[in-house]
Amino acid sequence: MRLVIERGELLRALGHVTSVVERRTTIPILSNVLLRAGNGKLSLKATDLEREVIEDVAATVSAPGAVTVPAHMLHDIVRKLPDGAEIEIKRDPEKERLTITAGQSRFALQTLGPEDFPDIAAGDLAHSFELGAADLKRLIEKTRFAISTEETRYYLNGIFLHVAEKGSSRTLRAVATDGHRLAQVELSRPEGAEGMPGVIIPRKTVHELHRLIEASSAPVKIGVSPSKVRFEIGTVTLTSKLIDGTFPDYGRVIPQGNDKELTVSNADFIGAVDRVSTIASERGRAVKLNITGDKLVLSVNNPEGGSATEEIGVGYTASPLEIGFNARYLLDIASQLEGDEAHFLLADPGSPTMIRDGGDDTALYVLMPMRV
Amino acid sequence: MSMPCNAADAAPANVRRIIHVDMDAFYASVEQRDDPKLRGKPVAVGGSKLRGVVAAASYEARRFGVRSAMPSVTAKRNCPELIFVKPRFEVYKSVSQQIREIFSEYTDAVEPLSLDEAYLDVTDLRGAASATEIAEAIRARIKAETGLTASAGVSYNKFLAKIASDYRKPDGLFVITPRMGPGFVEALPVGKFHGVGPATAQRMHKLGLETGLDIKAQSLEFLQQHFGKAGGYYYSISRGVCERQVKPHRIRKSLGAERTFFTDLTTFASAHEALQEVIDKVWRHCEQASIRGRTLTLKVKYADFQQITRSRTGDAPISTRSELERLSCALLTPIFPLAKAIRLLGVSLSSFGLSADGDGEAEQLALLL
């Protein structure tokens, strides 16, 4: 195996693939990246057994072949080489080393055989469709904050992506919940998604995917089977196992009859919650909302820290209500809203509250109060 | 202006009036009250089984050397006539509620220490002539309303009030005035000091400290050197000084339950099953007290009495029994396979949140998923 490759191209690809490589792993080959040269390109692949990322980069290949080397070390080497360098990568079959040469620098890395490198056999991904990068980004960004980190409720440790009905139209919907709050966002169902199974995409895959599409605007090709999902983003392919579990019937917790509507300037609201919660202790971050007439009084009382109140003008005509929420949860949701106004649909201090975005009716949030 | 000067009540304005009320052999007395057959007999409340312990002993049983926290087997050996009665905590709780209501008529500053004892700060008398009068009135009302006897101690701080309540037990009252205080403490054997258990008493004896006077003769440095932080406390109380306030709202820091098993557990299945009862109990307490904790601690005591704890703290309080069970099992699983059998399992919850009002615990409610 022998090839020459441009430093910048290789660095970018290594940046994409090595982020799935665990820093500490008990299986040595999982620390490595698989390099496969042939047909005028170098293909890089990394995995943590739950997901894998493959990226192809153009290269001048003079002898095809494959090898694995420590991923983070290779990444560090390439990162430290000078900008614009031409890198020669060569496998010395006798010494079982991979030599990397650029200018006057020369590195020899320990290798492991490519035949032992694990492969996530994706099998048949029967359902496939395309989403714009911006749409996919929106589905992720508006829901991922609500993903549970509770390992015992593993089926909540991801985003539930599925086809839903909204009135007469069909949508592709993303939902995440940690049992205290829920985020739901949808877009019209893309061609090819009909009949796809509802899938739970693991949190780490969600974050990898977001990194990969962050700087991209190209459409993303998505393939789904009941156990795997694949995202093709230009020259990068992310394949992931899905969470094997049943996402709960979340529709039951989305309130339908909440008739107390509170309309508030989102910027004012975020500022006020942020200010009064300064007083809250690290853990007991309850903020009390007292809503009467056209004013909302937010207050926090921490016996060890003091107290704070702030009043803001709101639109509210229903009967007065006092309700408590976790300040961080309020801020998490409010910071997702795009419109100038946040709409709270409330029932009582012990029932779920719905929050809608004045500037986006495809997203909704549900938040359980704190009993204060 | 003439003032009575025979009691703590004669003190200057800045002196407090504290009463310590302690029910006499509480659980056992309740059982004797409710079952005439038990009256006049040695009674122990607690498990009679191989590994049970005595939770409370009647005065008849105490004469045979039966003490609370004593293994039931030892108690039975000391007193073969001993009658074991299963505890009825619901009854004790309701009696406890009755006596707390009586206290509340005399002062708002009531600090319950357990179901059967409490400190009362009655400094502002509320029209009564003295703290002693209040203590007598409380004892009489407890007897009239519950049929049980209580002992009371009256003094100018918590430490001495507690010592005093023990002084004429059962069914007695004792007053330690500011003038008597220092002399009283000097004569007191160190083992009687509140906060000095058998182990500390032993260490004090080794240092030649037998009475309050012996402690008083030591420097603060000496006491701190030998007893650490507690040294400062001993220094103060040996002078009859105790500044601790009666705290009406003692903030509960944790809540839990545990069980010692009749036979040691060796398998995951048996431990898992045994844990259910403990979890039930903890959850019942949570419901009754309407509190939810974020930190879950599993306690495991092995057959050789080695004890380990495993805990986890979540971002939000544990809000359902099934969540409590799931998380408890998650803590239990990694300790298997066992190197030695399990004697005891306990589950406790702590890290109760603070509410927006700050006087209770704010509970994050869960979506009914």
Side-chain angles (χ1 to χ4, degrees):
Chain A
M1 174 179 157
R2 185 170 189 165
L3 64 112
V4 173
I5 192 165
E6 201 272 317
R7 181 246 180 200
E9 292 280 295
L10 181 58
L11 181 61
R12 194 170 51 83
L14 283 167
H16 289 153
V17 303
T18 54
S19 77
V20 302
V21 177
E22 299 277 5
R23 287 278 171 183
R24 278 181 299 173
T25 159
T26 49
I27 306 170
I29 204 160
L30 294 184
S31 302
N32 283 12
V33 56
L34 171 67
L35 305 175
R36 190 181 293 279
N39 290 333
K41 65 180 188 186
L42 175 68
S43 172
L44 301 92
K45 175 175 165 183
T47 183
D48 65 358
L49 296 179
E50 290 297 311
R51 55 197 65 74
E52 64 184 26
V53 179
I54 300 175
E55 180 155 4
D56 292 344
V57 189
T60 311
V61 179
S62 47
V67 70
T68 81
V69 288
H72 290 299
M73 190 178 288
L74 179 63
H75 189 199
D76 286 345
I77 289 170
V78 174
R79 195 165 43 79
K80 290 173 184 177
L81 289 174
D83 200 10
E86 287 275 301
I87 302 173
E88 189 196 43
I89 297 177
K90 192 175 102 186
R91 181 169 175 231
D92 174 350
E94 284 121 64
K95 288 186 188 153
E96 302 263 306
R97 295 281 178 104
L98 189 74
T99 56
I100 295 152
T101 319
Q104 301 305 307
S105 310
R106 191 185 148 85
F107 302 86
L109 299 185
Q110 295 273 17
T111 64
L112 289 170
E115 59 284 347
D116 296 330
F117 201 81
D119 186 45
I120 293 185
D124 181 24
L125 300 165
H127 303 271
S128 71
F129 53 92
E130 254 185 32
L131 280 183
D135 281 343
L136 187 54
K137 242 181 280 183
R138 203 168 70 88
L139 290 181
I140 294 173
E141 285 171 358
K142 294 199 170 191
T143 53
R144 65 173 173 179
F145 71 91
I147 298 175
S148 171
T149 53
E150 187 73 77
E151 325 81 64
T152 51
R153 280 214 268 186
Y154 61 93
Y155 48 85
L156 299 182
N157 295 167
I159 291 177
F160 182 45
L161 187 69
H162 59 297
V163 174
E165 282 179 33
K166 191 189 189 188
S168 58
S169 62
R170 303 278 189 277
T171 65
L172 181 68
R173 185 183 283 175
V175 176
T177 179
D178 63 1
H180 296 146
R181 57 238 172 103
L182 176 145
Q184 169 187 313
V185 58
E186 56 198 341
L187 39 87
S188 30
R189 189 188 64 191
E191 200 66 38
E194 59 273 12
M196 75 168 241
V199 295
I200 309 169
I201 304 170
R203 181 178 55 242
K204 192 176 165 194
T205 302
V206 167
H207 291 310
E208 288 300 333
L209 175 61
H210 188 259
R211 269 171 23 85
L212 293 173
I213 60 176
E214 209 163 10
S216 153
S217 55
V220 178
K221 216 177 131 197
I222 302 170
V224 179
S225 80
S227 62
K228 311 268 174 16
V229 64
R230 168 172 290 166
F231 301 91
E232 290 171 46
I233 310 119
T235 54
V236 190
T237 305
L238 165 64
T239 308
S240 173
K241 292 184 184 169
L242 296 166
I243 292 176
D244 184 12
T246 308
F247 201 80
D249 176 14
Y250 65 89
R252 289 184 303 157
V253 302
I254 298 176
Q256 303 299 332
N258 285 8
D259 54 358
K260 297 182 174 177
E261 185 171 355
L262 167 79
T263 303
V264 58
S265 147
N266 196 36
D268 290 355
F269 184 73
I270 290 176
V273 172
D274 190 29
R275 277 186 290 274
V276 296
S277 65
T278 314
I279 287 291
S281 60
E282 185 58 33
R283 289 302 182 175
R285 293 174 60 92
V287 53
K288 194 158 74 184
L289 278 62
N290 208 316
I291 318 158
T292 38
D294 53 3
K295 73 177 191 203
L296 164 66
V297 178
L298 296 129
S299 62
V300 172
N301 197 335
N302 173 3
E304 285 149 22
S307 63
T309 60
E310 181 159 342
E311 185 181 315
I312 44 181
V314 294
Y316 186 76
T317 52
S319 53
L321 182 68
E322 187 175 282
I323 187 167
F325 292 106
N326 179 314
R328 208 191 75 222
Y329 292 173
L330 284 176
L331 292 174
D332 278 349
I333 291 173
S335 57
Q336 303 306 322
L337 307 186
E338 290 167 20
D340 295 337
E341 285 185 337
H343 298 280
F344 286 74
L345 292 161
L346 304 131
D348 60 67
S351 305
T353 291
M354 177 143 70
I355 299 134
R356 304 295 306 243
D357 187 343
D360 175 8
D361 63 359
T362 65
L364 72 82
Y365 306 92
V366 179
L367 177 58
M368 238 4 227
M370 290 180 90
R371 191 172 287 147
V372 292
Chain B
M1 209 166 82
S2 87
M3 295 259 292
C5 55
N6 61 335
D9 318 327
N14 61 345
V15 167
R16 296 178 295 155
R17 299 179 175 92
I18 312 293
I19 302 175
H20 179 253
V21 180
D22 192 5
M23 300 297 290
D24 301 319
F26 184 50
Y27 300 169
S29 301
V30 172
E31 296 307 330
Q32 288 180 320
R33 176 192 74 175
D34 293 350
D35 183 354
K37 291 198 294 293
L38 298 175
R39 291 180 198 158
K41 303 228 171 81
V43 174
V45 176
S48 62
K49 297 230 186 77
L50 201 55
R51 294 185 168 186
V53 291
V54 174
S58 71
Y59 282 93
E60 295 84 351
R62 292 184 192 194
R63 275 197 283 279
F64 291 91
V66 176
R67 297 277 176 271
S68 52
M70 177 180 271
S72 300
V73 181
T74 315
K76 193 79 184 170
R77 197 161 50 227
N78 290 353
C79 176
E81 319 278 84
L82 191 62
I83 305 168
F84 280 95
V85 183
K86 259 183 121 174
R88 297 178 300 152
F89 286 103
E90 289 313 308
V91 179
Y92 311 148
K93 263 184 223 162
S94 75
V95 175
S96 181
Q97 194 52 44
Q98 272 181 291
I99 62 173
R100 282 184 200 174
E101 271 160 31
I102 296 172
F103 298 155
S104 69
E105 288 177 33
Y106 295 90
T107 174
D108 295 327
V110 178
E111 176 183 343
L113 293 176
S114 60
L115 289 179
D116 62 339
E117 58 177 315
Y119 287 113
L120 285 65
D121 187 326
V122 295
T123 304
D124 63 351
L125 296 180
R126 290 202 193 167
S130 67
T132 310
E133 184 185 301
I134 294 175
E136 278 299 12
I138 287 174
R139 282 183 358 98
R141 292 220 15 216
I142 289 175
K143 195 157 192 177
E145 290 178 30
T146 69
L148 300 167
T149 63
S151 297
V154 180
S155 194
Y156 55 95
N157 63 40
K158 285 167 79 173
F159 168 68
L160 289 169
K162 183 156 171 112
I163 300 274
S165 72
D166 200 36
Y167 207 68
R168 292 278 186 263
K169 234 175 179 339
D171 200 11
L173 171 82
F174 191 70
V175 181
I176 300 175
T177 65
R179 205 174 333 144
M180 289 160 68
F184 196 87
V185 178
E186 283 175 10
L188 203 65
V190 293
K192 288 265 182 192
F193 278 56
H194 179 53
V196 176
T200 309
Q202 191 93 50
R203 276 163 58 209
M204 289 190 168
H205 294 327
K206 281 205 183 126
L207 292 166
L209 308 176
E210 301 291 339
T211 65
L213 184 62
D214 296 336
I215 297 179
K216 194 178 179 179
Q218 306 306 322
S219 68
L220 179 61
E221 292 70 30
F222 175 87
L223 292 171
Q224 279 174 338
Q225 184 198 326
H226 287 277
F227 304 103
K229 248 166 100 182
Y233 171 68
Y234 301 143
Y235 182 85
S236 300
I237 60 173
S238 67
R239 284 157 178 76
V241 174
C242 167
E243 300 293 347
R244 288 179 302 144
Q245 299 296 311
V246 173
K247 297 191 196 93
H249 298 291
R250 280 219 302 179
I251 297 169
R252 185 195 271 279
K253 299 243 172 72
S254 73
L255 172 163
E258 59 185 47
R259 222 195 121 189
T260 303
F261 305 108
F262 187 63
T263 44
D264 294 336
L265 309 176
T266 53
T267 64
F268 178 76
S270 60
H272 182 250
E273 194 191 322
L275 200 56
Q276 299 305 315
E277 188 190 325
V278 178
I279 291 169
D280 276 338
K281 206 162 164 184
V282 171
W283 189 248
R284 212 160 47 234
H285 288 171
C286 283
E287 299 263 89
Q288 279 163 1
S290 337
I291 51 179
R292 303 286 184 265
R294 282 188 306 106
T295 300
L296 171 68
T297 304
L298 176 76
K299 172 166 141 188
V300 179
K301 198 186 271 180
Y302 291 110
D304 63 356
F305 285 85
Q306 188 214 348
Q307 183 176 308
I308 60 161
T309 58
R310 295 288 178 265
S311 79
R312 51 94 59 203
T313 300
D315 284 339
I318 295 168
S319 55
T320 63
R321 188 202 176 280
S322 65
E323 194 180 353
L324 177 64
E325 181 188 337
R326 207 173 51 236
L327 297 171
S328 302
C329 287
L331 292 176
L332 182 69
T333 309
I335 71 164
F336 285 85
L338 296 172
K340 43 204 172 187
I342 296 174
R343 175 189 170 81
L344 170 150
L345 283 174
V347 168
S348 69
L349 286 168
S350 52
S351 310
F352 306 124
L354 293 167
S355 76
D357 288 334
D359 60 358
E361 289 82 19
E363 174 198 357
Q364 172 66 54
L365 304 175
L367 291 166
L368 298 171
L369 281 168

